Amino acid sequence: MSAIASLFRNDYDADGFRTCSVTGLDVHRSVENYVKLFGLTAVIALAVGGSFAFSVAMTRWEFVGLLDPSGYYTHLSIHAWNLLIFWMVFMEIAVLYVGGPMVLGRKLPLRRLATVGWVTMVAGAVGVNASIWLSEAPNEAPLLTAYVPLPVSPWFYGTAIVFLLGATIAALPFFATIWSETRDSRRTLPLVAFGAFVTGIVAVEAILGGIAAFAYAFAWRVDLIAAVDPGIYRQLYWIVGHGTQQINLLAMITVWYFLTHVVGGAVVISEKISRTAFILYLFFINLGAAHHLLVDPGLSAGWRIWNTSYAFYGAAFASMIHAFAIPAGIEAGRRRRGQGGGLFGWLTSAPWRNPVFAATIFSIILFGFLGGITGVVMGQIQVNMTWHNTLATVGHFHATVALGTTLAFFGLVLFVIKTMFRRDFVSDTLASAIPYAYGAAMSVATLMLMYAGILYGVPRRTAEVVRNIPGSEFNLSAAIPIFMIFGIFALLAILSGVLFVGVSVGSLLFGDRLAAGDDGGMLPEGGLHADGGEPIHAVELRGTFALCLIFLGVFVAVYVLNWYLLTQLWAIGA
Amino acid sequence: MSNPLEDPDDDWWNSPIHRRESIWLGLAGAWSLGIFTWMAGFTQFGDQNPIGTTYDVDPDRYQERVGEYKEAAEETEDGLIPPDNDVYVGAMRFNWDGLPAVLEAGREYDVHLGAYDVQHGFSVRPEENLNKQINLQVFPGSEWVIPMTFDEPGTYHVVCNEFCGQGHRTMHGRFTVVEG
């Protein structure tokens, strides 16, 4: 217990504040402790969900074929809920507290609500896990979606609602902070706080949809209503199913602006453009829930096209804005300090041994190239016919969530260990290796999932199909080589995840305490604020421009390739 | 240029935008509008669109209708030959009712998709070329009528790709497409 208590101790002044030696922010004990609490809980969910990644991957790798169907769907459900929901949402509450009260230098208001929120979330998370694990026939494992009318335990729907309510309560102190900071003044929030605020609004929208969906299904399961409509459930469900992934996206981008600035010396090249991008998200990103309904019966083509495109690609355009603005911020910040000449010198001379920096940059690159491009391509209603419910879809969301968001959050957790827990890493070498090992292994595993889905049509959500379809002569054994590569790299990715948890927990328990004022190697060369203030038009941004042109080229190539494959198909549709 | 952890200057809205960022905005905006236009246009001129007509139908009624269709169809060793251009497929745990079926290449059929119990996934591919595949969602309570024209003879395999219960992986059906 004393070891745990010591994690929540730091040297504060009489008012409970201290000045962060890295960010220069005035940090109050209350904010810091709740960030630690939610962050640690998130890492526990990561460890649970990551453990089940092993049994899931080793079942899909039919060479091993670890589980039979009765166990597989249960394990898959626990893997999905702990990683896609609990690891992410606990981290996101922490991100809100950082982006709100911490950046603004305030105490955390309504602390009792934060505690109630945390307890409710934990109760919901434990309940969801228990309801999945203890589920008995005729109830089926819910997977992530719990599509009606497949019978799923009412306990599952009930505890999922509890979790969502808890997350809403936990977000209230953040909204209270923004309210009290802005109601009397015409203050413009810092960009990170603004990003967190938009994240918070999108989160509330998602949660309301989730409560509606699960309450609808719950009412049916406990016989309050006689029947459910699968189409209506799917529309409601995807408000939260996709919405939570939009929270991940917005939280991740907010973290990108934060961490590239703090550990990489990035600046904001245009407040107007970056904030406009967040506003575009606010209006349009939730339309993306329609991505999951593109090959559903009963929805008009116009409805699907309008929504899947986020209204003329408003949200995809916003993401492309960030794709330029964030690397350009690094380039501008570093060039102003004279760090790195030529086209890419600013990038090659960056602090690549700092795992916080490397994790953030890999998150940006891998999210964009693997996750973002595939998301837009598969989100076109015609192309979706070739992606829907194949492993390629699983590849896409592992690129966005397991590469993009998880890598960014790895960076954030390591940053919090240094700056809030004030611990040195148990091993700098091992800590530095995390983003490289995880990024590389998970990238290959993710690409193999995409290939298996697109080139071999391997379905998701099935215990076996590649080597054998029971009761049929047919199988998808041509995909076996892909799965040999997938299996090995999935194992390596899981081992890298173990390395992350090991270094994090090891550093918390055995890491040396950093002395007051020690930046723990987090600050960029020349400190956080470089001297000199050249105006933006005087700074070269050609490195970023070149990178973005490469990105656009890959985007066009992937787009054309997918459309080519589609047009090779037999004719379908009116 | 400013710092994302501090309030920006009062005139932040009027700060100039870097020329290269303006160019990028133009490129990204043009690409966004371009792919929207292509997607919307393809519904008019393209041959592959997940677009059909949906009717609300009671699952039991749909099962009866598939039964009537099976009565009317000609039974062969390779499966049912539909009596006309309508092909009925009824998804159920863990079977494709109405399959296997024998169809003619180059002839347009109206494929009726519906489920008797829970949601299923209608996933079709030719045996010889796995990277050609089409996936559609199937609901109980909806009858989705989608035109389809198989252009090449061969065996097309149908698997379920929406989790429908423990026996999900065994759900397999077949179209045999013969020269028209």
Side-chain angles (χ1 to χ4, degrees):
Chain A
M1 279 316 281
S2 69
I4 293 176
S6 81
L7 292 177
F8 290 85
R9 218 167 285 140
N10 267 330
D11 293 330
Y12 300 100
D13 65 18
D15 297 328
F17 281 95
R18 68 182 184 91
T19 302
C20 177
S21 56
V22 177
T23 59
L25 296 170
D26 289 324
V27 178
H28 191 261
R29 178 193 301 143
S30 58
V31 192
E32 192 157 62
N33 282 345
Y34 279 94
V35 169
K36 290 175 179 178
L37 177 66
F38 280 92
L40 285 175
T41 317
V43 172
I44 292 170
L46 171 76
V48 173
S51 310
F52 283 85
F54 175 78
S55 47
V56 168
M58 289 306 106
T59 305
R60 283 317 300 254
W61 189 17
E62 294 174 29
F63 175 70
V64 176
L66 187 63
L67 299 174
D68 60 22
S70 60
Y72 176 71
Y73 299 114
T74 302
H75 283 231
L76 182 59
S77 306
I78 292 181
H79 171 64
W81 273 85
N82 284 282
L83 289 182
L84 218 41
I85 305 294
F86 304 142
W87 148 244
M88 295 285 160
V89 178
F90 278 108
M91 276 302 287
E92 280 145 8
I93 301 292
V95 169
L96 290 185
Y97 292 174
V98 171
M102 193 175 281
V103 165
L104 299 170
R106 300 288 179 236
K107 298 176 187 176
L108 186 73
L110 309 173
R111 267 161 266 170
R112 197 168 292 165
L113 275 185
T115 308
V116 171
W118 181 81
V119 170
T120 315
M121 286 170 74
V122 169
V126 171
V128 166
N129 277 306
S131 74
I132 295 171
W133 194 252
L134 301 174
S135 185
E136 284 180 357
N139 287 332
E140 299 280 358
L143 308 190
L144 187 73
T145 48
Y147 284 145
V148 298
L150 195 70
V152 168
S153 165
W155 287 100
F156 166 80
Y157 294 114
T159 47
I161 292 172
V162 170
F163 178 81
L164 293 176
L165 285 174
T168 314
I169 297 168
L172 290 176
F174 166 79
F175 286 112
T177 304
I178 300 293
W179 170 254
S180 67
E181 284 302 306
T182 53
R183 69 183 155 168
D184 294 330
S185 65
R186 290 181 45 81
R187 161 169 201 186
T188 306
L189 292 171
L191 182 61
V192 166
F194 182 73
F197 180 53
V198 177
T199 306
I201 296 172
V202 171
V204 170
E205 292 170 3
I207 286 171
L208 291 176
I211 291 173
F214 294 140
Y216 179 47
F218 180 80
W220 168 66
R221 291 297 287 145
V222 299
D223 291 328
L224 284 174
I225 54 176
V228 276
D229 183 299
I232 291 174
Y233 175 83
R234 284 169 68 87
Q235 284 208 30
L236 291 173
Y237 170 78
W238 282 112
I239 298 173
V240 70
H242 204 80
T244 44
Q245 309 324 310
Q246 313 294 16
I247 312 171
N248 298 342
L249 171 78
L250 268 78
M252 173 182 75
I253 289 173
T254 304
V255 169
W256 287 349
Y257 277 106
F258 177 70
L259 288 180
T260 54
H261 169 66
V262 175
V263 300
V267 295
V268 181
I269 57 162
S270 169
E271 294 276 353
K272 175 162 69 176
I273 299 296
S274 291
R275 284 166 197 262
T276 304
F278 276 113
I279 293 290
L280 286 170
Y281 279 153
L282 181 63
F283 284 124
F284 299 124
I285 199 147
N286 275 339
L287 306 185
H291 291 174
H292 302 264
L293 313 173
L294 295 179
V295 293
D296 279 13
L299 299 168
S300 76
W303 187 93
R304 285 179 280 167
I305 288 171
W306 172 256
N307 285 293
T308 193
S309 72
Y310 318 95
F312 302 111
Y313 286 100
F317 179 57
S319 290
M320 286 190 276
I321 290 177
H322 293 304
F324 185 93
I326 293 172
I330 304 174
E331 181 170 7
R334 294 183 65 78
R335 282 195 195 275
R336 284 170 77 203
R337 298 156 186 247
Q339 291 162 343
L343 195 57
F344 295 125
W346 54 279
L347 195 57
T348 52
S349 68
W352 289 102
R353 284 189 60 81
N354 179 350
V356 178
F357 181 81
T360 308
I361 300 302
F362 292 158
S363 165
I364 295 170
I365 293 171
L366 295 171
F367 179 92
F369 278 86
L370 297 182
I373 289 175
T374 55
V376 171
V377 170
M378 74 187 284
Q380 297 227 297
I381 74 168
Q382 298 92 347
V383 175
N384 194 258
M385 282 194 293
T386 62
W387 281 72
H388 180 70
N389 275 355
T390 69
L391 271 183
T393 305
V394 182
H396 156 72
F397 69 71
H398 278 75
T400 54
V401 181
L403 284 170
T405 312
T406 296
L407 260 174
F409 286 179
F410 278 5
L412 188 62
V413 169
L414 295 173
F415 182 76
V416 166
I417 288 171
K418 287 269 189 174
T419 55
M420 295 191 208
F421 289 105
R422 303 295 293 149
R423 295 296 199 283
D424 224 340
F425 297 140
V426 275
S427 158
D428 282 337
T429 310
L430 288 180
S432 296
I434 292 169
Y436 293 87
Y438 181 81
M442 188 55 100
S443 293
V444 176
T446 295
L447 281 171
M448 292 306 126
L449 289 170
M450 292 180 191
Y451 293 158
I454 278 298
L455 300 181
Y456 299 94
V458 179
R460 66 190 288 201
R461 296 182 153 183
T462 179
E464 74 176 324
V465 70
V466 171
R467 288 172 186 250
N468 177 34
I469 299 177
S472 156
E473 296 289 304
F474 178 62
N475 57 50
L476 303 172
S477 55
I480 286 175
I482 295 282
F483 278 88
M484 298 304 283
I485 305 173
F486 163 77
I488 291 164
F489 280 88
L491 276 179
L492 291 173
I494 293 165
L495 283 176
S496 316
V498 171
L499 179 66
F500 166 76
V501 174
V503 167
S504 301
V505 174
S507 302
L508 291 177
L509 296 178
F510 309 113
D512 295 332
R513 206 174 171 87
L514 293 170
D518 185 344
D519 75 4
M522 285 293 115
L523 281 177
E525 256 179 282
L528 193 55
H529 303 291
D531 296 335
E534 285 177 277
I536 182 65
H537 55 261
V539 180
E540 278 285 3
L541 294 178
R542 57 203 167 93
T544 300
F545 192 68
L547 289 174
C548 282
L549 287 182
I550 294 170
F551 173 77
L552 190 57
V554 173
F555 200 158
V556 173
V558 172
Y559 187 82
V560 169
L561 183 67
N562 271 274
W563 272 95
Y564 172 75
L565 282 174
L566 179 78
T567 51
Q568 298 309 300
L569 291 171
W570 59 95
I572 176 174
Chain B
M1 273 184 278
S2 55
N3 163 352
L5 299 180
E6 286 171 6
D7 296 8
D9 295 339
D10 286 342
D11 66 340
W12 60 271
W13 183 260
N14 297 316
S15 299
I17 297 165
H18 194 279
R19 186 174 54 90
R20 289 193 194 267
E21 188 170 35
S22 305
I23 298 171
W24 176 250
L25 290 181
L27 288 172
W31 177 244
S32 300
L33 289 176
I35 61 176
F36 178 88
T37 308
W38 176 259
M39 169 171 62
F42 199 83
T43 62
Q44 304 305 313
F45 60 75
D47 286 335
Q48 291 85 14
N49 285 292
I51 298 172
T53 313
T54 309
Y55 303 94
D56 289 336
V57 61
D58 181 73
D60 294 334
R61 176 75 194 99
Y62 185 70
Q63 187 163 7
E64 282 169 29
R65 212 173 284 172
V66 176
E68 289 159 17
Y69 158 81
K70 285 163 67 180
E71 286 290 316
E74 181 189 338
E75 266 187 71
T76 70
E77 219 161 82
D78 283 335
L80 300 173
I81 299 179
D84 49 37
N85 288 335
D86 289 288
V87 179
Y88 280 79
V89 178
M92 60 191 285
R93 309 210 293 170
F94 301 99
N95 186 26
W96 295 100
D97 198 15
L99 298 184
V102 181
L103 307 180
E104 287 174 19
R107 176 168 164 187
E108 184 176 288
Y109 291 93
D110 282 329
V111 179
H112 297 240
L113 296 172
Y116 305 157
D117 40 34
V118 299
Q119 297 185 36
H120 296 276
F122 179 74
S123 177
V124 199
R125 77 273 288 131
E127 185 169 288
E128 301 306 325
N129 195 349
L130 297 181
N131 70 37
K132 290 185 170 187
Q133 31 109 23
I134 279 180
N135 303 281
L136 301 168
Q137 196 77 15
V138 186
F139 289 176
S142 294
E143 178 178 349
W144 196 7
V145 187
I146 287 211
M148 242 189 244
T149 312
F150 290 97
D151 47 5
E152 284 171 26
T155 306
Y156 290 71
H157 292 274
V158 182
V159 300
C160 178
N161 71 357
E162 183 56 81
F163 174 60
C164 58
Q166 298 279 327
H168 164 54
R169 70 204 161 121
T170 65
M171 209 167 145
H172 170 260
R174 207 171 64 233
F175 291 107
T176 302
V177 178
V178 297
E179 293 282 359

